[in-house]
Amino acid sequence: MPKFTVSKSALKRKWIAGEKDFSLEGETIFCKPCGKQFNFERKCQLEQHKKTTVHATNIQKQGNKRQRLLSECPPETGERPSSFVNDLVAVMLQEAIPLQKLDKETPLRKFVEKYWESEAIPCVKTLRTKVAPATHFQVIEKIRDEIEDSPIWCSVDETTDRLGRNMVNVIVGKLSGKSHSVTNEMLERFGMIDDNMCSFCGNEIETIKHVVLECPASQLQREELLKEITDHSLQLFNLDTLLATGTDPIHCALFKFLSAINFKV
């Protein structure tokens, strides 16, 4: 039988299979406890590294050290950055621009310093420790103000960064009966409300089928939708029309109808 050549990355991936302390970046093995990259050519080199005193010490430190949350960090003392610096950091975070872009001798820092001569831009470490947490808390307060006491949905994704530090991404949304994409039947089933009757007619259980096809409160919108569709040639009803995502008359009429009955899509 012909021999198959195994790539180095595939081979090294087998070496670290089941190893939570190592990850593979291309053909380089990254040791999370040590925070270093190693270009091991043989598996025995990896095994030797795992037996070193430095690696064992770093694993012990990692186990004893719990990563602090922003809410647990003590407030920074000393001179506060100006409103310009606060706004600059806030904009960079909102636009997903790494603060590292403001490090020394970077083009962005030179540009900012050229047109903002009133004060020196703090170093990146100061921006992270003094400015970024304040922006974080402002966003949290804004989310709390928007949600208030309403039922919510959330999606949580746990991951790690390239240094092996734990990270959690959380998306939070507001569940509201005002939007018919979340019906009273759903909210009642999840134990968020006690009454699952339609918010408009009050005669039937509020399901998506009822809101779109049966609710008397949506009768006028359904008639307008039917009229707009029948005004167009039947040639429009083909597979391309039904599956299209453009601005053809059929889809425009459909989205107009859904918007009229406050159905979020």
Side-chain angles (χ1 to χ4, degrees):
M1 294 182 63
K3 295 183 178 180
F4 295 94
T5 303
V6 181
S7 64
K8 289 185 178 180
S9 59
L11 184 61
K12 293 180 180 181
R13 190 174 293 109
K14 290 183 179 180
W15 294 353
I16 63 174
E19 296 278 358
K20 64 178 182 179
D21 294 330
F22 297 93
S23 62
L24 189 65
E25 299 180 1
E27 296 183 356
T28 304
I29 295 178
F30 180 75
C31 179
K32 298 177 183 178
C34 299
K36 295 182 179 180
Q37 293 180 336
F38 298 94
N39 191 18
F40 297 131
E41 295 296 334
R42 297 182 180 180
K43 186 177 181 181
C44 62
Q45 294 175 317
L46 173 63
E47 297 298 330
Q48 289 175 358
H49 171 74
K50 291 163 61 177
K51 296 177 182 179
T52 60
T53 305
V54 175
H55 181 74
T57 303
N58 289 331
I59 289 180
Q60 186 176 5
K61 290 180 179 179
Q62 188 182 49
N64 296 333
K65 184 178 179 181
R66 187 177 71 86
Q67 190 173 333
R68 290 196 304 173
L69 304 176
L70 277 175
S71 57
E72 299 173 341
C73 297
E76 294 288 338
T77 58
E79 184 179 356
R80 291 186 176 182
S82 66
S83 58
F84 170 77
V85 175
N86 287 322
D87 293 342
L88 176 63
V89 172
V91 169
M92 292 183 66
L93 295 178
Q94 290 173 7
E95 297 298 327
I97 302 175
L99 295 180
Q100 198 67 28
K101 296 291 185 180
L102 284 176
D103 205 355
K104 296 180 179 180
E105 304 302 325
T106 58
L108 180 59
R109 187 181 184 91
K110 292 180 179 179
F111 172 80
V112 174
E113 290 179 340
K114 178 179 179 180
Y115 293 99
W116 182 258
E117 301 177 352
S118 300
E119 62 176 310
I121 304 299
C123 65
V124 175
K125 182 179 180 181
T126 301
L127 297 178
R128 287 199 181 105
T129 57
K130 290 189 176 182
V131 184
T135 303
H136 166 79
F137 291 126
Q138 290 175 4
V139 173
I140 294 298
E141 288 301 322
K142 182 179 179 181
I143 294 175
R144 288 173 177 168
D145 292 340
E146 291 181 357
I147 292 179
E148 296 179 334
D149 296 329
S150 301
I152 65 170
W153 62 267
C154 64
S155 175
V156 181
D157 177 37
E158 181 184 1
T159 183
T160 56
D161 63 9
R162 64 186 305 272
L163 297 180
R165 295 174 297 190
N166 295 326
M167 298 178 62
V168 176
N169 299 318
V170 182
I171 301 177
V172 179
K174 185 176 180 180
L175 290 176
S176 174
K178 297 179 180 179
S179 170
H180 282 303
S181 54
V182 180
T183 63
N184 286 344
E185 185 270 336
M186 297 179 187
L187 296 177
E188 190 268 340
R189 180 153 35 96
F190 295 147
M192 297 179 178
I193 60 175
D194 297 326
D195 186 8
N196 62 2
M197 303 303 288
C198 179
S199 302
F200 287 88
C201 69
N203 298 326
E204 300 289 342
I205 296 177
E206 187 179 277
T207 62
I208 293 179
K209 177 182 178 182
H210 170 74
V211 172
V212 176
L213 301 178
E214 302 170 352
C215 183
S218 306
Q219 181 61 31
L220 179 61
Q221 288 79 9
R222 285 194 292 270
E223 292 176 356
E224 292 178 353
L225 171 64
L226 182 61
K227 182 178 182 303
E228 289 193 40
I229 292 179
T230 53
D231 286 345
H232 296 288
S233 172
L234 291 178
Q235 295 178 355
L236 290 175
F237 289 93
N238 52 46
L239 187 60
D240 292 335
T241 301
L242 295 176
L243 298 181
T245 57
T247 57
D248 59 90
I250 303 301
H251 277 83
C252 289
L254 179 59
F255 279 105
K256 180 180 178 181
F257 165 71
L258 294 176
S259 177
I261 65 173
N262 199 26
F263 193 95
K264 306 299 183 183
V265 292

